[in-house]
Amino acid sequence: MPLHRLQTSDQADMPSIPDLIRKKRDGGQLSDEEVKAFIHAVTAKTIQECQTGAMLMAIWLMGMVPTETETLTREMMLSGEVMKWPEEWKKLVVDKHSTGGVGDKVSLVLAPALAACGCKVPMISGRGLAHTGGTLDKLESIPGFNIDQSTEQILGILGSVGCCIVGQTEELVPADRVLYALRDATSTVDSLPLITGSIISKKGAESLSALVLDVKFGRAALYKDLTSATELAQQLVGAGNGLGMRTAAVLSSMDGTIGRCVGNSLEVIEALETLKGNGPDDLMELVTTQGGLLLVMTGLAADLSEGRKQISGAVANGAALLKFGAMMEAQGVAAETAQLLCSARADGYYSVLRKAKHQLELRAPADGVVLDVDGLVLAQVLRGLGAGRSKAGEPVNHSVGAEVLVSLGQKVTKGVSWLRLHYEDPAPTQDQKNQLENALTVGTDGNIPTQQKCTLIEKILPDKYAC
């Protein structure tokens, strides 16, 4: 069996829940046993929902020291099943996590590229919420792709293909399911210890050898500035290492979009084009850096430069594309469908993927240079048109999306198309059109040096991996 269950403490030894809430509310530090008692009560459902909410708010208000956060993360991980892998895979099981972006299809390229380099990638991903897209939603735009796989099936796919991208199983970190839902209801979503516990506990339950975190900052990110994003990255890295996973973080800018496409089917197409060697530079920068770090941490590459070259080579020689096709088939996609998507045929995509009924092109208002495209505005409008969801469980329209037709620093003339909007019924309102038009900033050549970024990546933690 690929799983084993880990035991929790005896319920009879549990301290009083009101006492724990009071202690944290008053700024006290919870002991390991007290954190363990709280998570056990959450998992066993022996705690009232109002008490759980009160503890979440106390944590939000008073924070946690690193040892508390590490214990919280470990006990959340141990609240359910923990994956177990064959001994020969030791040091090769890896994954990544992104804090959420616009047009972020990195996982679709990275997982098969890592598999082509010899890693095992049990990528457990999520769905989109608010303005950020979800990897599972993107993959479900492919007819037949099944993100619900049992642990035995995951083991089999990793053995035959090397990578899979699936949803969280019912047995994995049940405490997080309870806390995650209540964090939204209690406005404690942005608590650093709770974010850390949620992210790292799920990755720890995958029994990873190495983990890379893409922590985003900027206008379209959860954290708007580099300082606060760095604080989150440091906590995540510390908690990951505390669970025995080699952990690193990439801090990357999230003001515009990653690549040119936003929206589920469109992002699948762009990911496939990237796997065929036609990917945008910013997307490939994220893929090769995150993949390179994982290869270094597993010992498959001597340094980041060599790791990047290996990932880039797996894309360039077609090995990563073959892995993606094999993964699609292993997860339920018909062989002919997978082959068509991976073929060089220009008409192959929309014979498989759903295309929106309508397209609308927006045009540049003046001559000049493209200084900015506001990714947050673009994502918010697309969510309103059905590409995303405002609350968990809502359906998404896989065909809705947009293609950005210009690049930062590009000279444009008045009237040239800069955005192609793909939409269904109802059509975008005038207000939505106005928002999209205002998302583009066109200026003069003199502004280019301060507006245009040549790289999305600002820093890598720990510093030793950046060398």
Side-chain angles (χ1 to χ4, degrees):
M1 290 290 289
L3 301 175
H4 63 281
R5 182 172 293 280
L6 294 146
Q7 302 299 316
T8 54
S9 63
D10 187 80
Q11 190 171 342
D13 297 331
M14 187 186 304
S16 161
I17 293 297
D19 286 345
L20 296 185
I21 296 169
R22 185 180 304 110
K23 182 176 181 179
K24 176 47 62 180
R25 179 202 67 188
D26 294 343
Q29 179 178 332
L30 300 179
S31 69
D32 289 351
E33 284 304 313
E34 288 169 335
V35 173
K36 193 173 185 177
F38 169 63
I39 294 300
H40 181 274
V42 168
T43 308
K45 297 182 170 59
T46 58
I47 183 175
Q48 297 178 48
E49 190 172 280
C50 62
Q51 291 176 317
T52 304
M55 179 63 87
L56 293 176
M57 183 56 70
I59 293 171
W60 185 88
L61 286 169
M62 305 310 299
M64 282 183 151
V65 299
T67 54
E68 281 180 294
T69 302
E70 286 186 24
T71 303
L72 174 74
T73 304
R74 181 177 293 104
E75 293 307 317
M76 288 174 66
M77 178 187 79
L78 300 182
S79 69
E81 312 254 40
V82 176
M83 291 181 172
K84 188 176 181 181
W85 308 113
E87 182 64 25
E88 59 266 28
W89 294 1
K90 190 176 182 180
K91 298 185 178 180
L92 296 177
V93 184
V94 303
D95 198 0
K96 57 86 66 169
H97 177 82
S98 169
T99 57
V102 180
D104 189 351
K105 70 279 296 178
V106 169
S107 293
L108 278 63
V109 182
L110 180 58
L114 285 165
C117 292
C119 292
K120 301 295 183 182
V121 193
M123 192 172 282
I124 296 177
S125 297
R127 299 193 180 278
L129 192 60
H131 74 276
T132 61
T135 298
L136 300 183
D137 297 314
K138 304 180 208 301
L139 289 170
E140 285 185 330
S141 67
I142 303 172
F145 198 103
N146 184 7
I147 57 94
D148 296 315
Q149 302 288 330
S150 70
T151 51
E152 289 79 8
Q153 287 171 320
I154 290 172
L155 184 64
I157 296 169
L158 291 187
S160 61
V161 180
C163 63
C164 62
I165 304 179
V166 300
Q168 184 179 347
T169 68
E170 290 293 329
E171 295 81 15
L172 200 71
V173 197
D176 181 61
R177 293 181 180 276
V178 178
L179 298 182
Y180 194 88
L182 284 175
R183 280 168 58 203
D184 190 49
T186 56
S187 296
T188 54
V189 170
D190 57 347
S191 162
L192 280 178
L194 297 177
I195 292 172
T196 301
S198 179
I199 292 173
I200 301 299
S201 64
K202 292 194 284 280
K203 297 304 178 185
E206 292 178 43
S207 297
L208 300 177
S209 310
L211 170 66
V212 68
L213 302 147
D214 185 359
V215 180
K216 299 191 177 298
F217 65 93
R219 185 170 48 213
L222 176 63
Y223 287 93
K224 306 305 178 185
D225 61 275
L226 180 60
T227 300
S228 56
T230 300
E231 185 181 358
L232 172 60
Q234 289 169 335
Q235 286 217 18
L236 292 170
V237 168
N241 285 323
L243 291 183
M245 298 180 288
R246 295 182 186 88
T247 307
V250 174
L251 285 118
S252 61
S253 174
M254 191 68 255
D255 288 321
T257 65
I258 300 172
R260 292 182 178 270
C261 294
V262 183
N264 298 294
S265 291
L266 291 174
E267 290 190 49
V268 168
I269 292 172
E270 188 166 43
L272 284 162
E273 281 297 301
T274 301
L275 288 165
K276 294 172 187 177
N278 306 315
D281 291 343
D282 58 347
L283 174 57
M284 281 302 296
E285 179 196 23
L286 293 172
V287 169
T288 58
T289 300
Q290 292 173 42
L293 283 169
L294 287 169
L295 293 183
V296 171
M297 288 189 282
T298 55
L300 294 175
D303 54 35
L304 182 53
S305 177
E306 181 188 329
R308 283 182 172 131
K309 288 177 183 176
Q310 287 190 37
I311 296 293
S312 181
V315 172
N317 66 21
L321 180 63
L322 289 175
K323 289 291 186 182
F324 189 83
M327 181 181 73
M328 283 194 286
E329 291 188 44
Q331 293 191 232
V333 177
E336 56 270 24
T337 299
Q339 290 163 11
L340 188 57
L341 288 174
C342 293
S343 73
R345 285 179 53 183
D347 63 343
Y349 296 129
Y350 286 123
S351 64
V352 173
L353 304 175
R354 178 178 172 185
K355 186 174 184 178
K357 295 178 183 177
H358 312 289
Q359 284 81 44
L360 170 69
E361 295 195 0
L362 300 185
R363 304 187 182 279
D367 294 348
V369 174
V370 176
L371 302 180
D372 187 37
V373 175
D374 192 326
L376 179 58
V377 169
L378 184 57
Q380 289 172 333
V381 170
L382 291 175
R383 181 188 67 181
L385 293 174
R389 55 175 65 85
S390 299
K391 60 183 179 180
E394 287 183 341
V396 298
N397 189 322
H398 294 119
S399 68
V400 173
E403 299 172 76
V404 180
L405 306 176
V406 296
S407 303
L408 290 180
Q410 178 181 333
K411 290 185 178 181
V412 295
T413 56
K414 181 179 180 179
V416 71
S417 296
W418 75 272
L419 184 78
R420 183 178 297 121
L421 184 66
H422 296 244
Y423 66 94
E424 301 276 354
D425 298 321
T429 65
Q430 188 57 52
D431 179 60
Q432 287 172 324
K433 290 179 185 177
N434 291 341
Q435 290 180 57
L436 291 174
E437 288 170 351
N438 291 332
L440 174 71
T441 302
V442 175
T444 60
D445 292 65
N447 291 323
I448 296 176
T450 57
Q451 296 288 338
Q452 188 177 8
K453 292 197 68 160
C454 297
T455 177
L456 294 180
I457 295 173
E458 189 68 32
K459 68 163 78 169
I460 294 171
L461 299 175
D463 293 337
K464 64 180 181 179
Y465 291 125
C467 300

